[in-house]
Amino acid sequence: VTEVQGRLQQVADQAEPAVLALAATVTPEQLRHLARKYRGNNETYRKETVHLPLAQQRDKRYEQMLDRLEMVYGRLDATQRQVLRQGIAQSTHDPQRVLAERMRRQQDLLQVLTRATAPGTTPQAVRELLRGYLERVQQSPDAGYRAWQQELVQENCRVFAAVHESTTTAQREQAVRRLRAYQRDLKDLAEQR
């Protein structure tokens, strides 16, 4: 996770000039459109996730994780699926917390963009606003959320490790092929720059 975060920071650093140029051109109508889009997406998430009974929330999460694991390993057998289901049943995942943090980030971005497009805002001020926003995305200002998120990362690692330990040699070979293909694709994309 730490390595991925470091790589994402490198991507953010490379994208900074383009993001700064774009942020400075956002119009008030575009900000209103973004706010409407956020409200709609949040309402959909509430209906399709937060307001579901716990068993349905877990079933939905199970299906999502199963799809991702099978994309890497190929079809999981009944025992492997049970390992995954058990890990999800023991999880502290909380869609309401996810939604609250998501909404915090959305409001943060809207405020940053509003300030960035205010008359007289210097390019350096826009840069500082956007960097601050990216820092708050990577590390929530809410200490309780950060602790819960770290716990959730550890849980997900344990579940992934348990599923991985239950895989066959053929499934692991499939995973290596799939991950190498992703690596080649990313390398090809990077070389196109």
Side-chain angles (χ1 to χ4, degrees):
V1 170
T2 303
E3 184 178 332
V4 168
Q5 288 173 337
R7 290 178 189 249
L8 288 175
Q9 184 58 53
Q10 290 173 349
V11 170
D13 291 343
Q14 289 178 352
E16 185 178 85
V19 171
L20 290 173
L22 180 63
T25 66
V26 174
T27 67
E29 177 54 36
Q30 288 171 321
L31 286 173
R32 286 189 294 275
H33 175 79
L34 183 59
R36 283 191 305 272
K37 186 74 170 168
Y38 282 160
R39 281 191 299 275
N41 289 346
N42 292 340
E43 189 53 37
T44 299
Y45 185 77
R46 273 187 198 90
K47 288 177 187 174
E48 295 179 359
T49 304
V50 174
H51 292 284
L52 292 179
L54 182 59
Q56 287 180 329
Q57 288 177 11
R58 287 180 175 162
D59 285 344
K60 184 174 182 171
R61 194 154 176 255
Y62 167 81
E63 291 298 331
Q64 290 169 338
M65 291 182 79
L66 179 64
D67 285 346
R68 291 179 188 131
L69 287 166
E70 287 187 336
M71 188 175 9
V72 173
Y73 290 108
R75 182 138 174 91
L76 298 184
D77 65 27
T79 302
Q80 294 162 336
R81 288 169 180 244
Q82 185 56 36
V83 168
L84 175 60
R85 194 171 287 282
Q86 182 179 7
I88 290 170
Q90 296 170 353
S91 177
T92 61
H93 184 264
D94 179 1
Q96 184 61 47
R97 276 185 123 160
V98 171
L99 179 61
E101 177 65 12
R102 176 174 156 171
M103 290 172 64
R104 183 207 59 80
R105 290 177 183 179
Q106 292 166 350
Q107 288 306 305
D108 192 356
L109 180 60
L110 290 169
Q111 290 170 4
V112 163
L113 290 174
T114 298
R115 289 171 58 196
T117 58
T121 305
T122 66
Q124 181 58 34
V126 173
R127 181 178 289 111
E128 289 172 15
L129 286 166
L130 289 172
R131 284 183 178 172
Y133 171 74
L134 290 175
E135 287 173 17
R136 292 185 299 277
V137 165
Q138 289 182 358
Q139 185 165 337
S140 173
D142 179 344
Y145 181 85
R146 284 194 315 269
W148 172 76
Q149 186 179 40
Q150 186 59 37
E151 180 182 344
L152 197 58
V153 167
Q154 294 303 315
E155 281 180 10
N156 288 336
C157 287
R158 284 191 296 271
V159 170
F160 179 79
V163 171
H164 181 76
E165 288 174 10
S166 74
T167 58
T168 65
T169 301
Q171 287 172 317
R172 289 180 187 184
E173 289 170 354
Q174 164 68 24
V176 168
R177 286 190 302 275
R178 172 67 67 184
L179 295 174
R180 283 192 179 138
Y182 289 151
Q183 184 180 36
R184 279 190 307 275
D185 291 347
L186 290 172
K187 184 180 178 195
D188 290 346
L189 285 171
E191 289 174 354
Q192 290 176 12
R193 285 197 75 232

